[in-house]
């Protein structure tokens, strides 16, 4: 068993594993190992890298369960590592995305803790979504990462709610469009509006989130206004923003909707207690990257109130996402 000093040092070395994961993804190692085990020399030749250096990175990932050193300097992919293959819609793009600009900004987390402001803006000179608008390749990776992060939760949201009474669903900040695609597939009577910045819509228009029949693509800024509809889905958007900004988005939904309309905020609620939960990592990433935060049910209820809405009920989907349904107050 590792001593306490080794345990704490290991935590402090977290960046080594996260960047090593990114390296094997960028080199395509999981794809090369998909057909069977290979020696480091073969892998280095196939990826134009230095065998000794590659060996050290792969040796670091083996005890983490990503690879297995089956013979000296010879590796196989584990079930965990197989999640990083390019034919998997798993977390590969998320690991790449979070270990690029977000990683660089994270070095200034202390700045965010001292000021409450996003480190990203300090390091990159503009807010996260403005920066993405000017970097189409990174914006496309971001949207693929959002699909990866969703891992079934879009289907779970579509299944958990009865869209029967509505005619026009607006997905606010819908990005890649996977949620809207799942809702429309289950509800042939509905038409859809995918509303996002042009950089977000680009991925959807290229099919990143699946089929989007009966859909109007609308580019715009949700701090200005949102298109009209009778049910609004707002998934993993409110968590990007501080309370003042979040209330503006929800108020704009309130302004655009009819009295009988609903707003469905889809987010993962922060659970009480010390149990490990990915939402706690995501929360601190929000602090440093966008200036947003993960919230409890009570915190969402007070956002709705400030926006002229009222939280009616919370529906737990099959996944980690909850659906917070609000009506005009
Ligand atoms: C964290 S992503 C969530 C995407 C998607 N709803 C999901 O659940 O995967 C936030 C989305 O908000 C969009 N967004 C950011 N700022 C925006 C703005 N001012 N107006 C409209 N959309 C915006 C981004 O482009 C991005 O698609």
């Amino acid at each position: 068993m590792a001593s306490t000093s080794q345990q704490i040092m290991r935590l402090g070395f977290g960046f080594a594993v996260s960047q090593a994961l990114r390296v094997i993804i960028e080199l395509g190692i999981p794809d090369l190992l998909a057909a069977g085990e290979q020696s480091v020399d073969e892998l280095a030749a196939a990826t134009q890298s230095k065998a000794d250096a590659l060996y050290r990175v792969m040796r670091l990932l083996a005890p983490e369960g990503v690879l297995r050193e089956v013979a000296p300097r010879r590796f196989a992919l584990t079930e965990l590592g197989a999640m990083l293959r390019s034919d998997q819609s798993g977390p590969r793009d998320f690991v790449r995305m979070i270990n690029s600009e977000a990683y660089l900004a994270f070095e200034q987390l202390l700045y965010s803790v001292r000021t409450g402001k996003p480190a990203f803006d300090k390091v990159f000179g503009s807010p996260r979504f403005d920066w993405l608008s000017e970097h189409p390749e990174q914006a496309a990776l971001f949207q693929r990462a959002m699909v990866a992060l969703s891992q079934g939760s879009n289907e779970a949201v579509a299944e958990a709610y009865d869209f029967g009474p509505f005619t026009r669903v607006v997905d606010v900040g819908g990005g890649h469009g996977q949620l809207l695609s799942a809702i429309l597939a289950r509800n042939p009577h509905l038409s859809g509006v995918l509303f996002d910045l042009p950089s977000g819509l680009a991925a959807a228009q290229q099919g990143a989130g699946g089929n989007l029949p009966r859909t109007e693509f609308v580019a715009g800024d949700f701090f200005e206004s949102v298109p009209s509809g009778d049910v609004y889905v707002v998934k993993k958007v409110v968590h990007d923003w501080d309370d003042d900004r979040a209330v503006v988005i929800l108020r704009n939904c309130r302004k655009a909707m009819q009295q009988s309309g609903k707003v469905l905020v889809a987010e993962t609620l922060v659970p009480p207690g010390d149990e490990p939960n990915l939402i706690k990592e995501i929360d601190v990433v929000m602090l440093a990257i966008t200036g947003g935060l993960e919230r409890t049910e009570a915190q969402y209820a007070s956002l709705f109130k400030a926006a002229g809405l009222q939280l009616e009920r919370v529906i737990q989907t099959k996944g980690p996402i909850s659906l917070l349904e609000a009506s005009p107050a």
Side-chain angles (χ1 to χ4, degrees):
M1 173 131 170
S3 68
T4 46
S5 104
Q6 281 170 334
Q7 284 177 42
I8 204 77
M9 294 225 294
R10 193 159 189 276
L11 283 181
F13 268 119
F15 68 91
V17 169
S18 69
Q19 285 297 330
L21 274 182
R22 178 181 172 201
V23 165
I24 65 159
I25 294 169
E26 299 292 353
L27 292 178
I29 301 284
D31 283 354
L32 290 167
L33 289 178
E37 58 189 59
Q38 288 196 43
S39 73
V40 168
D41 290 336
E42 289 166 327
L43 292 167
T47 59
Q48 288 93 48
S49 43
K50 294 284 182 200
D52 287 348
L54 179 60
Y55 173 61
R56 288 152 66 189
V57 165
M58 294 182 73
R59 180 174 62 185
L60 170 67
L61 291 175
E64 301 295 335
V66 178
L67 302 166
R68 208 154 40 85
E69 190 170 4
V70 288
R73 289 172 70 92
R74 197 171 175 79
F75 286 89
L77 204 56
T78 62
E79 196 184 335
L80 196 60
M83 295 298 295
L84 302 175
R85 284 180 356 212
S86 60
D87 61 354
Q88 298 291 310
S89 60
R92 175 180 187 269
D93 286 322
F94 182 78
V95 173
R96 290 176 69 209
M97 184 278 287
I98 207 69
N99 283 290
S100 42
E101 318 83 71
Y103 174 85
L104 292 176
F106 224 66
E107 199 271 330
Q108 291 290 320
L109 177 61
L110 183 57
Y111 165 84
S112 292
V113 172
R114 287 223 161 99
T115 64
K117 295 181 185 161
F120 189 94
D121 303 24
K122 177 173 190 269
V123 174
F124 286 88
S126 64
R128 175 64 164 156
F129 290 109
D130 294 2
W131 188 91
L132 283 176
S133 292
E134 285 152 20
H135 295 82
E137 252 183 55
Q138 294 306 111
L141 176 62
F142 176 81
Q143 292 294 343
R144 290 200 304 276
M146 290 305 102
V147 174
L149 196 59
S150 297
Q151 284 175 34
S153 67
N154 291 318
E155 196 49 49
V157 169
E159 177 193 280
Y161 193 73
D162 176 11
F163 288 90
F166 306 103
T167 58
R168 186 169 156 92
V169 54
V170 183
D171 190 351
V172 177
H176 46 80
Q178 195 183 60
L179 174 59
L180 186 58
S181 175
I183 293 172
L184 293 175
R186 286 179 166 267
N187 296 278
H189 69 286
L190 276 183
S191 66
V193 179
L194 188 68
F195 180 70
D196 206 294
L197 297 169
S199 57
L201 292 183
Q205 280 158 336
Q206 285 156 21
N211 260 354
L212 285 166
R214 312 183 300 285
T215 297
E216 194 185 335
F217 294 83
V218 180
D221 178 355
F222 50 43
F223 294 115
E224 300 285 325
S225 63
V226 303
S228 64
D230 51 9
V231 59
Y232 288 81
V233 291
V234 193
K235 178 173 158 272
K236 292 279 179 192
V237 166
V238 176
H239 81 152
D240 284 334
W241 306 100
D242 64 22
D243 286 359
D244 290 347
R245 306 284 274 169
V247 168
V248 175
I249 301 169
L250 294 175
R251 195 178 290 136
N252 283 340
C253 295
R254 169 68 191 94
K255 279 185 197 158
M257 72 202 266
Q258 301 136 10
Q259 191 62 26
S260 58
K262 302 278 185 208
V263 177
L264 305 174
V265 166
E267 296 281 358
T268 302
L269 300 176
V270 179
D274 283 350
E275 291 305 304
N277 190 311
L278 199 56
I279 204 64
K280 294 176 186 174
E281 273 89 359
I282 297 176
D283 177 50
V284 179
V285 169
M286 290 301 142
L287 170 68
I289 308 303
T290 63
L293 65 152
E294 301 299 341
R295 295 175 171 90
T296 60
E297 181 181 328
Q299 286 174 301
Y300 282 108
S302 76
L303 288 185
F304 284 131
K305 197 167 176 213
L309 293 158
Q310 186 179 322
L311 176 61
E312 299 282 359
R313 59 184 172 140
V314 179
I315 303 164
Q316 186 56 49
T317 70
K318 274 188 189 155
I321 299 248
S322 299
L323 259 185
L324 298 109
E325 183 196 53
S327 306

